[in-house]
Amino acid sequence: MPWINVLSNSRFGCITTDNFGGFIWNENSRLNRISKWNNEPTNDLPSEMLYIKDCDKNKYWSMVSRIANDMAYVIKYGYGYSEYIQVCDDILQNVTVYVPEKEACKNIIISLKNLNNNKRNFKLYYYMDAILGEDVLKTEGNI
């Protein structure tokens, strides 16, 4: 069973899991989904992903998920935030997710620290399985 953290204010919210992106909604978590909700209690399929690519080594990995990543990481759930911390390929990665108290948005703060003296070249990629409505069957082909 996945661990989850609900981050929300009166208008907007998201669920983060130990596999990162549960789903995002605006105003109503059933009728106004922004990303897909996977109602799978034992298989935590994320609707969002963050990838990092080392351009020099042509190597990539997930910054926040077990998908495309076999490295251990630490997850901190706190009041109003979720934080994902890991070291991969001599890069200390810290990803913090929160929903501001009065704004209809989700913020993701990414911090990278190079643990060796070599110059590094990275690209960051964000993926979201958008739904923009109540049901994927109603919005499929329209996004």
Side-chain angles (χ1 to χ4, degrees):
M1 301 287 285
W3 287 85
I4 68 164
N5 193 13
V6 178
L7 308 172
S8 68
N9 58 35
S10 62
R11 302 182 321 168
F12 187 89
C14 70
I15 291 177
T16 60
T17 72
D18 56 327
N19 213 17
F20 188 57
F23 82 105
I24 309 167
W25 69 88
N26 185 46
E27 301 281 333
N28 184 305
S29 63
R30 183 179 68 84
L31 298 175
N32 294 330
R33 294 178 185 150
I34 295 171
S35 65
K36 188 176 179 182
W37 176 51
N38 294 301
N39 188 14
E40 187 75 36
T42 59
N43 189 10
D44 183 19
L45 299 172
S47 63
E48 297 175 87
M49 292 294 296
L50 282 171
Y51 293 103
I52 185 169
K53 179 180 179 182
D54 185 328
C55 298
D56 300 323
K57 296 180 181 179
N58 200 28
K59 177 182 175 184
Y60 74 94
W61 60 89
S62 167
M63 297 178 70
V64 289
S65 172
R66 295 179 303 269
I67 297 174
N69 183 351
D70 58 359
M71 304 300 293
Y73 56 98
V74 174
I75 303 168
K76 295 180 183 179
Y77 289 153
Y79 182 72
Y81 73 93
S82 294
E83 186 175 14
Y84 301 80
I85 304 163
Q86 83 172 334
V87 175
C88 189
D89 204 21
D90 289 330
I91 299 295
L92 172 62
Q93 304 163 171
N94 185 302
V95 177
T96 304
V97 180
Y98 70 94
V99 172
E101 187 177 342
K102 297 183 184 198
E103 297 177 39
C105 67
K106 175 173 115 174
N107 293 335
I108 301 172
I109 299 172
I110 299 169
S111 173
L112 303 174
K113 182 178 181 181
N114 189 356
L115 300 177
N116 67 34
N117 293 329
N118 299 333
K119 185 176 177 181
R120 310 288 294 270
N121 183 22
F122 293 104
K123 287 186 179 181
L124 300 177
Y125 297 92
Y126 171 79
Y127 163 82
M128 179 177 65
D129 193 359
I131 187 172
L132 303 180
E134 179 183 4
D135 190 342
V136 69
L137 297 175
K138 295 179 180 178
T139 62
E140 192 172 47
N142 297 315
I143 299 174

